[in-house]
């Protein structure tokens, strides 16, 4: 493994690991706040127990996310010094604000965890809400920085120099809204289905059914609402990518030839050598509609992109197909769940519906990982779109492969520890919260 591939692999590993904890950190506090609110309004002790149990999970994920996020900050400077040299002064503002949001989140979480029976009950609840709001703001600000890499703004690039820097324009670049919206909803989908799936499994096992039923309902409603909304944000994102990054859209759809009434490709195996897709289902005109809102519009293919500027097609295409496939599967589960709430109440306790949620537990995070693969791999060979190539930004220091192996071992160890802690926490729920205090 050469140093360039090692640097990209280490960054991908770090991002892929951290994004899971970021999503949970953005969303779980809202679940917690809803359960807490129900306890304050109804005085039902089960909701208090749910709140306390979830708060311990939030603390575990917050600590792990803080560690992995700090590592990412160092990696940006150590692995990509040329990128940070030029980009840092331009898009540093969202990172600085993200740090502020992180500190607010940490303080609010401390207040919440240790504020039971010490604060006014509504102030205590409010600190939990602040944990969620600041976590959500933190995630959006980081996405704004990534969006800048896809849609650089806030500077003029003249004779290799970055001049006339405007950090505000850089932060609110053309891609930030669509990316932030899509990522935020994705976080709610992934976390909602993951949490609901765990509680559905406990219900099927007959463990502390009342506790897990209340927990399942809160998580499922959040996840299912987000799953219904996600295709709308996906449509906004697709149209935005078609406008700003036609090469990425072409790679996502393995769209090799520029044409009008372009078909939407479902599945298939891209053949980059012969510029075609085998075994695909083609929906005539639907790619034109997805990209431009018109079934007759022309969609730019990879034939209009110089070979040296084309992203890897197969990886981008497969990742996009996985993301969409997982999203559609969760949307189907969401429709069934809302149908159960509206018309088929007996379905809510049916094992088959709970088993669907158990099966869907990992789908949201698989979709998130696939979506970030589309975003990052689809931008290649650029680290700053159409401005700086990834190969020009990597560190000249040798031995990056060994760093990648070391970090891989660290992340695997950390993942095992987190899984063990969560497993213990889930098992403890059955003994600590099986009866009123």
């Amino acid at each position: 493994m050469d140093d360039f591939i090692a640097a990209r692999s280490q960054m991908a590993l770090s991002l892929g690991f951290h994004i899971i904890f970021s999503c949970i950190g953005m969303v779980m506090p809202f679940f917690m706040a809803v359960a807490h609110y129900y306890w304050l309004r109804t005085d039902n002790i089960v909701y208090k127990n749910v709140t306390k149990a979830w708060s311990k999970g939030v603390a575990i994920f917050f600590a792990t996310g803080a560690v992995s996020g700090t590592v990412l900050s160092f990696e940006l400077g150590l692995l990509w010094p040329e990128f940070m040299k030029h980009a840092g002064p331009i898009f540093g503002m969202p990172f600085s604000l993200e740090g502020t949001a992180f500190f607010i989140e940490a303080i609010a979480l401390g207040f919440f965890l240790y504020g039971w029976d010490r604060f006014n009950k509504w102030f205590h609840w409010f600190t939990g809400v602040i944990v969620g709001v600041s976590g959500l703001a933190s995630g959006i600000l980081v996405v704004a920085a990534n969006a800048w890499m896809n849609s650089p703004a806030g500077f003029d690039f003249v004779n290799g120099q970055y001049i006339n820097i405007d950090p505000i324009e850089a932060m609110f670049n053309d891609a930030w809204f669509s990316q932030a919206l899509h990522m935020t909803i994705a976080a709610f989908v992934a976390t909602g289905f993951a949490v609901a799936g765990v509680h559905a499994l406990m219900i099927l096992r007959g463990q502390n059914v009342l506790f897990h039923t209340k927990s399942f309902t809160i998580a499922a409603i959040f996840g299912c609402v987000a799953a219904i909304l996600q295709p709308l944000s996906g449509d906004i994102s697709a149209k935005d990518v078609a406008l700003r990054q036609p090469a990425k859209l072409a790679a996502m759809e393995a769209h090799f030839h520029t044409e009008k009434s372009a078909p939407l490709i479902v599945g298939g195996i891209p053949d980059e050598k012969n510029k075609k897709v085998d075994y695909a289902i083609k929906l005539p005109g639907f790619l034109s509609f997805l990209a431009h809102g018109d079934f007759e519009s022309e969609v730019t293919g990879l034939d209009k992109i110089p070979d040296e500027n084309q992203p890897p097609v197969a990886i981008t295409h497969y990742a996009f197909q996985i993301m969409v496939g997982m999203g559609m599967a969760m949307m189907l589960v969401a429709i069934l769940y809302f149908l159960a709430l509206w018309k088929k109440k007996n379905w809510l306790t049916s094992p088959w519906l709970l088993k669907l949620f158990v099966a869907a537990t990992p789908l949201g995070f698989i979709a998130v990982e696939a979506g970030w693969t589309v975003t990052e791999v689809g931008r290649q060979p650029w680290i700053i779109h159409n401005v700086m190539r990834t190969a020009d930004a990597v560190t000249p220091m040798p031995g990056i492969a060994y760093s990648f192996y070391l970090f891989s071992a660290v992340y695997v160890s950390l993942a095992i520890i987190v899984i063990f802690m969560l497993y213990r926490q889930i098992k403890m729920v059955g003994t600590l919260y099986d009866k009123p205090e």
Side-chain angles (χ1 to χ4, degrees):
M1 180 183 293
D2 64 42
D3 287 335
F4 177 56
I5 296 299
R8 289 187 62 190
S9 299
Q10 182 173 325
M11 203 70 195
L13 175 69
S14 301
L15 282 167
F17 186 86
H18 179 68
I19 193 63
I20 294 174
F21 301 100
S22 295
C23 288
I24 296 171
M26 290 166 65
V27 173
M28 272 296 289
F30 290 105
F31 297 1
M32 184 179 74
V34 169
H36 195 180
Y37 177 81
Y38 278 132
W39 174 62
L40 294 176
R41 296 293 296 179
T42 66
D43 207 30
N44 185 336
I45 195 65
V46 176
Y47 285 116
K48 182 180 181 182
N49 293 338
V50 171
T51 305
K52 285 193 170 184
W54 276 348
S55 69
K56 293 177 181 178
V58 168
I60 292 170
F61 286 114
F62 177 82
T64 311
V67 171
S68 57
T70 302
V71 170
L72 272 172
S73 299
F74 284 114
E75 284 180 335
L76 280 172
L78 294 174
L79 298 178
W80 313 102
E82 194 64 22
F83 167 69
M84 292 304 295
K85 173 184 174 182
H86 298 291
I90 304 171
F91 80 151
M93 179 174 286
F95 276 129
S96 300
L97 294 175
E98 189 275 335
T100 303
F102 172 79
F103 283 121
I104 293 172
E105 182 182 7
I107 293 168
L109 181 60
F111 280 180
F112 187 83
L113 292 175
Y114 297 102
W116 290 98
D117 303 319
R118 292 181 174 87
F119 296 138
N120 172 277
K121 63 180 184 179
W122 287 106
F123 175 78
H124 183 224
W125 171 80
F126 182 69
T127 62
V129 174
I130 292 299
V131 174
V133 172
S134 55
L136 192 63
S138 181
I140 290 173
L141 288 164
V142 170
V143 171
N146 179 267
W148 179 84
M149 297 164 70
N150 289 309
S151 181
F155 67 97
D156 293 323
F157 187 61
V158 181
N159 297 325
Q161 300 296 315
Y162 298 77
I163 60 175
N164 301 326
I165 293 173
D166 183 347
I168 299 295
E169 184 183 350
M171 184 166 69
F172 296 107
N173 56 78
D174 290 340
W176 86 269
F177 175 76
S178 61
Q179 279 197 216
L181 178 66
H182 196 58
M183 184 64 231
T184 299
I185 297 176
F188 276 92
V189 176
T191 307
F193 271 86
V195 174
V198 170
H199 290 293
L201 180 61
M202 295 299 105
I203 296 170
L204 288 169
R205 290 180 175 178
Q207 298 180 6
N208 204 353
V209 173
L210 181 59
F211 174 94
H212 289 294
T213 298
K214 299 293 188 185
S215 305
F216 169 81
T217 301
I218 293 171
I221 289 176
F222 269 104
C224 290
V225 169
I228 298 293
L229 294 176
Q230 187 67 307
L232 301 177
S233 73
D235 181 66
I236 294 171
S237 294
K239 288 178 169 56
D240 181 62
V241 169
L243 180 65
R244 295 180 299 96
Q245 294 176 292
K248 179 184 285 187
L249 181 72
M252 287 160 57
E253 275 296 318
H255 184 60
F256 289 103
H257 306 288
T258 301
E259 59 182 311
K260 294 184 177 180
S261 299
L264 182 70
I265 293 176
V266 180
I269 301 174
D271 181 351
E272 296 184 56
K273 181 179 179 180
N274 296 309
K275 310 297 183 185
K276 64 176 184 173
V277 184
D278 297 319
Y279 315 113
I281 299 172
K282 297 185 178 182
L283 306 177
F286 274 81
L287 181 58
S288 293
F289 180 78
L290 179 72
H292 303 295
D294 179 359
F295 286 98
E296 302 295 326
S297 293
E298 181 177 273
V299 179
T300 301
L302 290 165
D303 56 348
K304 290 288 186 71
I305 311 297
D307 289 346
E308 66 273 14
N309 292 340
Q310 292 184 12
V313 176
I315 295 175
T316 309
H317 176 70
Y318 293 140
F320 179 67
Q321 296 291 308
I322 290 170
M323 178 186 71
V324 173
M326 299 297 100
M328 296 302 292
M330 289 183 290
M331 187 174 71
L332 177 60
V333 174
I335 291 171
L336 290 173
Y337 182 68
F338 285 128
L339 182 60
L341 286 175
W342 181 41
K343 286 283 188 181
K344 304 286 187 178
K345 299 290 186 181
N346 59 307
W347 287 6
L348 295 174
T349 54
S350 298
W352 67 266
L353 183 63
L354 294 172
K355 287 178 181 178
L356 276 180
F357 275 95
V358 173
T361 299
L363 299 189
F365 286 111
I366 293 173
V368 166
E369 298 286 4
W372 274 97
T373 300
V374 171
T375 298
E376 297 303 294
V377 176
R379 191 180 58 245
Q380 300 306 313
W382 307 101
I383 192 169
I384 307 175
H385 184 59
N386 284 340
V387 176
M388 178 185 289
R389 290 181 178 270
T390 309
D392 296 331
V394 72
T395 177
M397 293 296 292
I400 301 301
Y402 298 106
S403 173
F404 169 62
Y405 300 142
L406 174 63
F407 273 81
S408 297
V410 169
Y411 281 125
V412 169
S413 302
L414 192 56
I416 292 172
I417 293 170
V418 171
I419 291 171
F420 173 73
M421 292 177 68
L422 290 174
Y423 177 74
R424 280 190 60 192
Q425 176 62 23
I426 293 170
K427 287 199 70 174
M428 286 171 61
V429 164
T431 57
L432 293 180
Y433 304 126
D434 56 352
K435 52 185 175 294
E437 294 181 347

